[in-house]
Amino acid sequence: MRIFKWTGGILLALLVLLALFIAFGLSTLKGPITRAVSNATGRELVIDGRLKPVWTWVHPRFRAEKVTFGNADWASEDLMFQADAVEVSVELLPLLIGRVVLPEVHLARPIVNLEIDDEGRKNWLLKPDEQSEGGSRVAIHALTFDEARLRYADAERDIDLDVALATDAQGVSFKTEGIYKGLPATGEGRGGQVLALKDTGTPYPIDATAMIGATHFKAKGTLTNVAQLSALDLAVELRGKTVSELYDVVGIAFPETTPYATRGRLVKGDKMIAYEKFTGKVGESDIAGTLQFDLGGKRAFMHGELESRVMDLADLGFVVGTSEPRDKGVLPDMPFDSDRWDSIDADVRIKAGSIKRPKQLPLEHLAAHIVMRDKVLTLEPLEFGIAGGKIAGTVKLDGQKDPIAATANLRVSDLSLPKLFPTIKEGQASIGDINGLIELAGRGDSVGEMLGASNGKVGVFIDGGKISRFMMELVALDLWGAARVKMKGDQPVGIRCGIADFGVKDGLMNTNAFVFDTDVVNVEGSGNVNLKSEELNLTLNPHPKDRSIASLNSPLYIRGTFGAPKFAPDWKRLGTKGAGALVMGVLNPLLAVLPLLQEGKEKESPCAALIAEATKPAKQSAKEAKAGVPRPPAVETKKKDDSAAAGGTRPETDRAPPKPQAGPPAAATQ
């Protein structure tokens, strides 16, 4: 116990001596103090005014007047710090272990210049050979000031901000303007009464607004540990021209969008930050959800869910990498910025309950699982509801490749024929489902470039059903037949088979088969579609199955571009009589849709029968034709088909023994 008594007595004696020295001889130390600091830091400390004690009952407190501290020799300003006066209080016990703890620091009209040059050097780190921040031996618990100016310049990040600060009875007010990451920036707000720099346990209240470029930000709440921002809990409002501009603010890549506005709760914890339960609008689409960013790995990891009750088609640019339509052409040509993809990994699900779109585009809903890993973006599954069915599958964009390597494997399932053409009155009595596939692989930095360099296959088919007789008479250019239908009333006619099947090489889609066979006309097509130039070069040859004297039986040419297609008959052949029912032309036996026709069928397939007929060896076909063997008949349907065509339920076809199921369709051609 005696040792503790001796220690206590010594400390008490030291405190008494220190108090007496402060009272009568502190001003004599001004010269030695400034020289010692200047020699230790390599920068000049000047105290032009008085150095005196300020008596308190808690900690020793000192006041130095007219204080300046020099800057690094490479910095743009001569002084890093200057103030009319500096008052500090000091804890004595930490001095025994070499630490300086300052419970309070008050600055009178200070000017502080903080700077990082283009080599990454920081002017507040005093030793040139130690340009990294570690544990400091100086701790400031609370900082107050009357009027302050702070300049922060960072050449590496293109930041140059001037901040004016002041304290009053209500707290700290601030106002800033300048450049933030190359964008004009302004901001203002208020904080609590005392700026706590080291108190990690006490939340500090703040209410602020800011604008960086076209991004507006408003926040109200608390932050903890002002110097390190170890925790946040803020009610946030955010709006701007496009979410992608947040990359310039936070350094994390977001997709290109139409103008947006959101509000939610921004929360930061240990190595994570979350934007919770936010709501808002992107363009004309509503959006809600929660996004969390984990910050402990190689790059930020974003995960969460987004939901939209009604999404506007015009706001879906993020799916294809554009928010604006092209001036020329149809396919999006705004490039993906894959360099930014290295800033984030992601696992986000997005769902749109319904889609607002032009009446002629029968999109219904959207669901996508978006995954980003090491600059590889995958949408699996990506599903669009369309015309009562869906187009679903996987889209992959490999940003590690230059240009981006893209693959798309999509299935077309159960698209309703009348819903596919909702603005065509005559088509609403039609019956039938369209199925098919899209399997493409290409390279490019935009959707247009990827499709223009793609290889693979595209095919759709309709396997039975009914369609307006009036429409088919017009396709055949059977004017008399069309007029007769108009006078007597339109009646659906049977669809035996419809196939549009293309092989794709270097962006050129060449027809493997283009056939639409009905009870009244068989339409065969040929030609190609150029995805690179967006040009159409297709010919439709209608073959009416009656001998109407008014049948013009002329090829129909489809030319022009995606944005301005042109339709014209062959005027030289106009007036030639129809040749009657003709056998469907020879089809490529490697049809993309052939495996789909064999999947899970429980009825006889008109398309399968016609394909089998069309792909017979030429000698066999000629022999059968010579012998008068008829074409495969259409599948008989029940009488209630007619009532269904008039608006009833879809008919069921006669059942046949199930056929063995085929394997999945072949992978896209590389």
Side-chain angles (χ1 to χ4, degrees), residues 411 593-602 659-665:
R411 291 289 295 270
V593 299
L594 190 57
L596 304 184
L597 288 165
Q598 299 170 344
E599 285 186 356
K601 291 293 183 181
E602 297 182 358
K659 295 183 179 181
Q661 293 189 12

Side-chain angles (χ1 to χ4, degrees), residues 518-540:
T518 71
D519 291 344
V520 296
V521 64
N522 174 40
V523 181
E524 299 171 4
S526 61
N528 57 65
V529 177
N530 194 320
L531 298 175
K532 183 178 295 184
S533 61
E534 301 189 21
E535 293 178 313
L536 299 165
N537 182 22
L538 297 169
T539 301
L540 303 183

Side-chain angles (χ1 to χ4, degrees), residues 69-352:
F69 185 64
N71 214 340
D73 54 8
W74 50 264
S76 59
E77 300 288 344
D78 292 334
L79 299 176
M80 190 182 85
F81 172 84
Q82 65 184 88
D84 287 355
V86 177
E87 285 190 16
V88 297
S89 60
V90 183
E91 290 187 10
L92 296 178
L93 291 179
L95 293 175
L96 299 176
I97 59 173
R99 294 192 70 237
V100 178
V101 177
L102 308 178
E104 294 180 74
V105 175
H106 179 77
L107 306 176
R109 289 180 290 279
I111 299 175
V112 182
N113 295 300
L114 302 179
E115 188 172 355
I116 303 175
D117 70 357
D118 51 13
E119 298 179 13
R121 293 178 296 182
K122 302 169 183 176
N123 72 331
W124 60 89
L125 297 179
L126 303 179
K127 295 183 179 181
D129 58 340
E130 295 182 2
Q131 286 293 318
S132 62
E133 299 183 69
S136 174
R137 290 183 174 270
V138 179
I140 301 174
H141 286 179
L143 175 66
T144 60
F145 36 80
D146 42 20
E147 296 177 11
R149 288 190 58 194
L150 169 67
R151 177 176 179 253
Y152 177 74
D154 186 339
E156 284 187 310
R157 298 171 180 83
D158 198 7
I159 299 173
D160 195 337
L161 297 173
D162 283 306
V163 186
L165 304 102
T167 56
D168 54 30
Q170 287 73 41
V172 179
S173 63
F174 63 88
K175 190 171 184 179
T176 182
E177 63 179 344
I179 300 296
Y180 184 85
K181 294 189 175 179
L183 300 173
T186 60
E188 59 182 318
R190 296 195 65 86
Q193 289 189 345
V194 177
L195 187 59
L197 297 181
K198 283 294 184 181
D199 188 351
T200 60
T202 303
Y204 181 77
I206 190 167
D207 186 350
T209 60
M211 182 174 177
I212 302 174
T215 302
H216 298 254
F217 181 86
K218 184 176 182 179
K220 185 175 183 179
T222 62
L223 50 89
T224 304
N225 190 351
V226 176
Q228 302 296 329
L229 292 182
S230 60
L232 297 172
D233 191 346
L234 302 171
V236 170
E237 295 181 20
L238 197 64
R239 59 187 173 93
K241 289 183 178 179
T242 168
V243 177
S244 68
E245 288 185 351
L246 289 176
Y247 179 83
D248 297 318
V249 180
V250 298
I252 295 175
F254 290 94
E256 194 77 25
T257 68
T258 45
Y260 70 96
T262 71
R263 60 175 60 195
R265 181 167 173 254
L266 189 66
V267 179
K268 184 181 186 299
D270 185 26
K271 296 182 180 179
M272 64 78 65
I273 188 167
Y275 192 28
E276 295 182 342
K277 298 179 180 179
F278 66 85
T279 59
K281 297 191 73 174
V282 178
E284 296 301 316
S285 306
D286 67 88
I287 193 167
T290 292
L291 293 175
Q292 179 171 319
F293 301 82
D294 296 335
L295 308 175
K298 176 182 176 183
R299 57 179 69 87
F301 173 55
M302 177 176 66
H303 55 96
E305 295 186 356
L306 302 176
E307 186 170 355
S308 175
R309 291 173 297 174
V310 180
M311 181 170 284
D312 195 309
L313 180 62
D315 302 323
L316 284 176
F318 68 92
V319 177
V320 295
T322 181
S323 60
E324 300 290 341
R326 290 181 58 182
D327 294 332
K328 297 181 179 179
V330 173
L331 299 177
D333 66 347
M334 184 174 181
F336 294 99
D337 192 349
S338 59
D339 291 338
R340 293 186 175 186
W341 294 1
D342 199 36
S343 68
I344 192 169
D345 287 336
D347 189 325
V348 177
R349 295 183 183 273
I350 184 169
K351 181 180 181 181

